[in-house]
Amino acid sequence: MNAIFERHRTQADRYLERFRLAPLRHFIAGRPTDSADGRVFVNATPIDNSHLGEVALGGAHDVDSAANSAAAAFETWRLTRGDERKAIMHRIADAIVARSEEIALVESVDTGQPIRYMAKAALRGAENFRFFGDRAPSARDGVSLPTDDHLNYTVRQPIGPIAVITPWNTPFMLSTWKIAPALSAGCTVVHKPAEWSPLTASLLAEICHGAGLPAGVLNTIHGTGELTGKLLTEHPAMKAIAFVGESKTGSQIMIQGAPSLKRLHAELGGKNPVIVFADADLDRALDAVVFMIYSLNGERCTSSSRVLVEESIYAEFCAAVSARAAALTIGHPLDPEVEIGPLIHQRHLEKVQAYFAIAEQEGATMATGGPSWEGGGSGNYVRPTLFTHATPSMRIANEEIFGPVLTAIPFVDEAEALAIANRTDYGLAAYLWTQDIGRGHRLARDLDAGMVWVNSENNRHLAAPFGGMKASGIGRDGGDYSFDFYMETKNICIALDTHKIPRIG
Ligand code: NAD
């Protein structure tokens, strides 16, 4: 064991001790709170499936308290000056940076994500608070739309308390991506983190409160989606739902929110193509392809899980991907050398493993990888895998596996590459490797994806719109797009007293 790994384990044990000693509580109206009926659920680490502790299970009374707390706090928070909100967002960012090691280590053990990625994810969470906080003072600004007889102008105002529901992959970063713009806009929040990775959500609530966020502005409620999440999406005090998760859950949440006409922003699943043409810079393409499927254990919405390779280089390129996948370091996520950790939960492991049998039945070839890893003990490990000789209609070419599993499909020309890329139900991201500028622009225009990267891996600019088409989502995050979701646009029309008002009666 190397010295840094050793230190990580010691430190992680120290940070995790509190979760073992007492159940993790909700955070409602500025205070850690047990469930009214005392119910809890057990949280385990995917490293060996040992228990990390108990977590409060939110029921109707708890959801009601959290929602009412957010509604009460909204009356003051929505009127708080933009520069005051900005100052608080910056203090939160500073506090996240100060506790970034703790966040990264706890999240790594809770999710199985390698520490090499989690350290950056914690800091990106801080960056989200800074970026949206800086825009808090101007978020209400509108536009001037004059006519000959009237002056129309718009202003934006926060929509109200928001239900933020997040998944278990990079949970800390993803929740800040929603919570930071909501708070900066003047909304209050009830956050329900995923039940398989609840720990860092409570750290975030604690950090925000410690940094001076008033009580009730951010409430965190733990529990399952079917119970706690459902109650939250149905609660009348919640005015909008910001959801990140699976497509079928998004659809269910639309139904749950429909009776109370909730605004919904849904960031859902993906089966993102990366198209590699023979004329591409193949060394850079190889690095990007390998990184975008095997980093974060492949549990990433924007992972490039289908690689479409021009026929003339298919064998050579697949052999190179296969060699790199086989060379990845699998192991304990707190080891800084490790590139592939265990999958989040045994149920998810079983789902991913089922695709190995499906691939075999469908006639694909497993070029490298496997459904288990001999060094994994009782942890949820699969080996980084490449399936070759896949056809576009196979399930492994259409369904989101959400693990370190890549499906390689050959194509003969641009038209076929486009047709294969667009044939899935999803439309989140697409990646494209070619040196032909015209082809790059043509395909970027024609691909059914909310985000297209040309000659690049997923590279995020916080002001740019993030989101998907088709079954991958509704709405966009990022920059002003986020404020459009968390705020109502109001038009105000003032007469210049020059127009004729119809006189009747
Ligand atoms: P999931 O849909 O199972 O759960 C997400 C959250 O929804 C959890 O907090 C869960 O408790 C809650 N939930 C489940 N059922 C609910 C219900 N009926 N009502 C209210 N809440 C409910 O997703 P997951 O397995 O946690 O996450 C993986 C999925 O998330 C993948 O499909 C992935 O692509 C997607 N994802 C998308 C993005 C994006 O930006 N598009 C980002 C990350 C993850």
Side-chain angles (χ1 to χ4, degrees):
M1 196 185 293
N2 62 56
I4 302 177
F5 180 21
E6 184 66 53
R7 198 179 73 81
H8 282 168
R9 284 182 78 142
T10 312
Q11 285 292 83
D13 271 348
R14 202 163 65 80
Y15 292 131
L16 289 162
E17 181 70 4
R18 57 182 275 200
F19 302 117
R20 292 199 187 91
L21 291 176
L24 184 62
R25 296 189 277 180
H26 312 299
F27 199 86
I28 301 174
R31 280 194 309 277
T33 311
D34 290 315
S35 285
D37 59 9
R39 286 177 72 193
V40 292
F41 63 97
V42 169
N43 181 33
T45 171
I47 298 169
D48 56 8
N49 287 297
S50 61
H51 290 177
L52 289 173
E54 291 180 331
V55 183
L57 175 63
H61 183 277
D62 314 302
V63 170
D64 206 39
S65 301
N68 291 339
S69 154
F74 180 65
E75 293 313 317
T76 317
W77 184 245
R78 71 191 176 92
L79 300 175
T80 304
R81 291 169 53 92
D83 50 3
E84 280 178 47
R85 287 202 305 274
K86 173 179 169 179
I88 295 174
M89 297 302 120
H90 275 273
R91 287 208 297 276
I92 293 172
D94 293 342
I96 290 174
V97 172
R99 288 177 69 177
S100 59
E101 182 196 64
E102 175 186 2
I103 295 164
L105 292 173
V106 168
E107 185 135 300
S108 194
V109 175
D110 204 15
T111 62
Q113 293 286 6
I115 190 69
R116 60 163 59 218
Y117 307 121
M118 286 304 96
K120 292 185 195 115
L123 295 175
R124 274 189 59 195
E127 207 38 54
N128 286 336
F129 277 98
R130 281 194 217 291
F131 177 87
F132 289 107
D134 281 344
R135 284 153 183 79
S138 59
R140 286 166 194 222
D141 293 356
V143 290
S144 166
L145 301 164
T147 70
D148 285 345
D149 294 314
H150 292 84
L151 172 62
N152 287 273
Y153 67 94
T154 69
V155 290
R156 286 192 300 200
Q157 61 192 52
I159 187 169
I162 310 285
V164 173
I165 301 185
T166 49
W168 42 258
N169 66 318
T170 58
F172 185 83
M173 198 288 291
L174 271 178
S175 60
T176 62
W177 179 229
K178 300 286 176 189
I179 292 169
L183 301 183
S184 299
C187 295
T188 54
V189 167
V190 179
H191 176 210
K192 202 227 53 88
E195 55 272 41
W196 288 350
S197 61
L199 301 185
T200 52
S202 286
L203 296 184
L204 180 63
E206 210 173 272
I207 286 171
C208 289
H209 193 61
L213 192 71
V217 174
L218 171 63
N219 307 273
T220 303
I221 180 128
H222 293 288
T224 60
E226 303 72 44
L227 174 69
T228 321
K230 181 170 185 292
L231 287 164
L232 184 61
T233 55
E234 291 170 345
H235 199 285
M238 296 287 108
K239 297 300 171 214
I241 305 166
F243 171 71
V244 186
E246 279 192 36
S247 301
K248 66 175 189 310
T249 315
S251 158
Q252 184 58 38
I253 285 177
M254 277 185 101
I255 295 168
Q256 292 163 193
S260 48
L261 287 173
K262 288 193 182 17
R263 184 181 287 185
L264 172 68
H265 184 162
E267 283 180 11
L268 309 173
K271 187 72 179 179
N272 311 297
V274 48
I275 306 175
V276 183
F277 286 92
D279 70 354
D281 180 333
L282 294 177
D283 290 336
R284 286 172 69 80
L286 178 65
D287 284 345
V289 166
V290 170
F291 181 75
M292 281 311 301
I293 183 62
Y294 299 118
S295 61
L296 295 170
N297 298 340
E299 296 167 316
R300 175 184 203 150
C301 56
T302 50
S303 74
S304 53
S305 48
R306 292 184 287 158
V307 60
L308 280 43
V309 189
E310 193 164 354
E311 208 170 31
S312 59
I313 57 159
Y314 182 80
E316 172 202 352
F317 194 78
C318 288
V321 174
S322 181
R324 291 280 289 278
L328 289 165
T329 306
I330 316 175
H332 194 293
L334 292 182
D335 184 342
E337 304 287 319
V338 161
E339 295 164 311
I340 300 274
L343 299 182
I344 181 78
H345 194 273
Q346 280 173 324
R347 286 224 303 276
H348 185 60
L349 174 71
E350 284 161 18
K351 176 193 150 179
V352 173
Q353 286 174 329
Y355 281 98
F356 286 80
I358 292 168
E360 196 181 347
Q361 283 155 18
E362 289 181 320
T365 304
M366 190 172 75
T368 188
S372 57
W373 176 54
E374 47 291 350
S378 51
N380 307 335
Y381 288 90
V382 297
R383 286 171 56 206
T385 298
L386 173 68
F387 289 122
T388 54
H389 302 106
T391 60
S393 61
M394 289 180 177
R395 286 181 61 188
I396 56 167
N398 289 279
E399 296 174 17
E400 185 183 46
I401 299 174
F402 222 56
V405 179
L406 177 62
T407 302
I409 308 164
F411 67 83
V412 287
D413 57 16
E414 182 179 324
E416 193 189 17
L418 181 67
I420 299 172
N422 283 349
R423 79 186 296 280
T424 71
D425 293 337
Y426 295 109
L428 185 59
Y431 305 86
L432 179 58
W433 287 86
T434 179
Q435 306 244 14
D436 180 332
I437 295 175
R439 176 157 66 194
H441 283 291
R442 278 194 303 279
L443 281 171
R445 178 194 63 195
D446 295 338
L447 281 162
D448 291 341
M451 297 166 286
V452 179
W453 278 275
V454 181
N455 296 331
S456 176
E457 81 289 14
N458 169 343
N459 224 292
R460 288 282 299 126
H461 171 43
L462 287 179
F466 183 102
M469 296 181 182
K470 303 199 297 193
S472 288
I474 300 170
R476 295 293 180 270
D477 266 324
D480 210 50
Y481 298 93
S482 296
F483 289 132
D484 260 345
F485 177 73
Y486 295 111
M487 303 181 88
E488 293 279 20
T489 297
K490 180 188 284 180
N491 188 66
I492 298 165
C493 179
I494 312 273
L496 304 180
D497 298 340
T498 52
H499 75 294
K500 191 168 174 332
I501 300 178
R503 179 172 292 167
I504 56 172

